[in-house]
Amino acid sequence: MEMRTVAGLALLEAERNGRCYAYPTDYPDLARIEASIQLSAQHDDGDVEGLKVDPDRYPAQDAYFSTGAAKGADFVQGMACLIDPRFEPMVERVLADEAAVASFHRLGEHLRSGGNVINAVPHGPLLDIGLLHATAYIALSRLGYEPKMGIVISHGISGRGKRFGEDLVCLADALDWACDKVWYVTPRTRNVRESTYVELVPGERITQHNAVVRLDIANTLDLGGYVITAAPSATSNRVKGGVHQIEPPTLGTLRLMSHPKTWIAIAAGRVLGAPTPSYSLLPDFSVLAGNGEQLIDQGKALIKTMCAEMNRIDAPTKYKVRR
C-alpha cells in the first residue's frame, strides 16, 4: 500500500482486482466493518444477503472510495436484467420517449462540454438505486455519449451481497461494473444517529471520513464529464402508514452537490417491487449555489419535486416529504 494526503488526512491506496482503493491509515478496523454491516441491514430489500467481515475478499469494506473503469453498457444491462428481467423493456420505453431522449441529449452535450451531472434518485433499496444509475448510463451510451460514471453510496453496501446464479457478489463489487468512481459515505442521518454504529465510531471519525470523500468528489467534478448518482434525501426508505417518508437533503449533501458546472437532474423511478417498473427524467436541470440557508431551500424544493414525480409515476405507492 502507498500513502498520500487528502484534506489534510493521510490515507492508504492499494490496487485490488483492477481498481484503486483508498483506505484510512488504521485499515482494516474489523469492529468498524462489522458495525457498518449491521447498519446497512436496514437497506435490505429482501433480495440481498449479509456478508461476513472479510476485507481481503471484499476490498470495499472500510474504504473511502474506489477508482477504476466501468464495463460497457451492454454488459451492465445484461447484469441489470438478471436482477429484474423487466429492466430491459423499461429502458426501451425510456429510449422510445422523445422527451426523455431530448433531455438525455441535453445532458450528454453538457458532459461533452466539460460539465457534470448529479443524477438525483429516490432513496430506496440499494439494488434499486443501482438500477436507476444503470438506466442513465445505458441511455447516454446508446445515444452516442461516453460519460464517466460515479455513485455516492453508503459504506454499508460493502456488507451486502446479491446472488447471480451460484455466485454471491458483494453489492459494492457489482456497482463497480457500472462505475468509474464509487464513493462510500457515512450518512449523517437520523438512522445513523440512532444506531449502534455511532456508539463504536466517534463523530470526529465520521466527519473525517466524509471530508475525504467530499474533497475527492469535488476534485472529480473539477475534471468534468462525470455523471454521479446520489440519493440525496436525508433518510433511508422509511415507510409510515403505508407512505414512504422522504426528508430534504442535509447541508453537507447539498454542498457536495453544489458545483458551478454541475447540473442537478432529478430521475424519479422504481423497479424492484413495483407492479410495473417506472422511470422519469425531469426536463428541468438546475445548479445548486448560494449560502447555507439558500442551499437548504433549494434542497427542500428538490425533494418536493422528486416526491411529486414519484407520486405521479408510481401511483400504487405514496410518497411524502417528511419534515
Side-chain angles (χ1 to χ4, degrees):
M1 288 191 177
E2 299 182 358
M3 184 174 292
R4 70 182 179 94
T5 300
V6 172
L9 299 172
L11 56 80
L12 302 173
E13 288 188 332
E15 293 284 341
R16 303 179 65 182
N17 301 332
R19 293 183 73 89
C20 180
Y21 288 84
Y23 300 104
T25 54
D26 61 350
Y27 169 85
D29 186 313
L30 302 186
R32 188 166 61 223
I33 295 172
E34 176 62 34
S36 172
I37 289 173
Q38 295 303 316
L39 179 63
S40 71
Q42 62 188 296
H43 297 289
D44 285 358
D45 62 355
D47 199 28
V48 299
E49 301 177 30
L51 302 177
K52 295 181 178 180
V53 176
D54 191 347
D56 291 331
R57 183 175 183 180
Y58 306 118
Q61 290 186 348
D62 216 21
Y64 288 127
F65 52 85
S66 72
T67 306
K71 293 185 179 294
D74 289 343
F75 177 89
V76 171
Q77 179 165 314
M79 300 310 294
C81 290
L82 290 179
I83 296 172
D84 192 320
R86 302 174 302 168
F87 179 81
E88 184 173 1
M90 184 191 76
V91 171
E92 295 304 326
R93 288 196 300 272
V94 171
L95 290 172
D97 184 323
E98 292 184 3
V101 169
S103 292
F104 274 117
H105 273 302
R106 287 175 57 213
L107 295 179
E109 294 305 319
H110 180 61
L111 293 167
R112 278 180 174 169
S113 70
N116 307 289
V117 175
I118 297 293
N119 182 41
V121 303
H123 242 122
L126 294 168
L127 284 173
D128 224 28
I129 293 173
L131 291 174
L132 296 179
H133 170 86
T135 302
Y137 178 35
I138 293 164
L140 285 166
S141 298
R142 291 263 205 101
L143 294 173
Y145 301 99
E146 298 179 352
K148 291 288 187 180
M149 301 297 297
I151 194 167
V152 183
I153 202 80
S154 167
H155 56 73
I157 194 172
S158 64
R160 317 316 287 169
K162 162 72 178 174
R163 289 200 178 274
F164 292 90
E166 296 299 317
D167 297 324
L168 180 59
V169 178
C170 177
L171 292 187
D173 295 340
L175 274 184
D176 290 347
W177 300 334
C179 293
D180 300 279
K181 298 277 297 192
V182 182
W183 294 276
Y184 312 103
V185 297
T186 302
R188 304 303 291 265
T189 63
R190 184 179 307 178
N191 288 7
V192 174
R193 294 194 299 270
E194 297 173 355
S195 71
T196 56
Y197 184 80
V198 297
E199 297 175 6
L200 176 72
V201 183
E204 181 182 358
R205 172 64 183 75
I206 295 174
T207 298
Q208 290 177 346
H209 179 107
N210 289 342
V212 171
V213 170
R214 280 199 305 270
L215 182 59
D216 193 74
I217 291 174
N219 290 340
T220 300
L221 292 175
D222 285 342
L223 296 174
Y226 264 84
V227 175
I228 299 178
T229 297
S233 63
T235 182
S236 63
N237 195 29
R238 291 191 175 190
V239 180
K240 183 178 180 180
V243 178
H244 290 247
Q245 308 285 314
I246 302 179
E247 294 181 7
T250 64
L251 182 57
T253 298
L254 292 165
R255 284 175 172 156
L256 178 152
M257 298 166 63
S258 174
H259 187 274
K261 60 180 183 181
T262 299
W263 289 358
I264 309 300
I266 298 176
R270 190 164 72 102
V271 181
L272 299 175
T276 301
S278 58
Y279 181 88
S280 174
L281 177 63
L282 274 70
D284 296 325
F285 310 132
S286 61
V287 175
L288 297 181
N291 58 32
E293 183 177 351
Q294 291 169 327
L295 287 174
I296 289 292
D297 288 342
Q298 292 166 47
K300 290 178 180 178
L302 185 158
I303 290 301
K304 183 178 179 180
T305 300
M306 180 180 288
C307 235
E309 188 65 8
M310 288 298 292
N311 282 327
R312 186 185 73 82
I313 67 173
D314 192 19
T317 306
K318 297 302 179 184
Y319 297 83
K320 179 182 179 181
V321 178
R322 183 180 181 185
R323 303 184 188 282

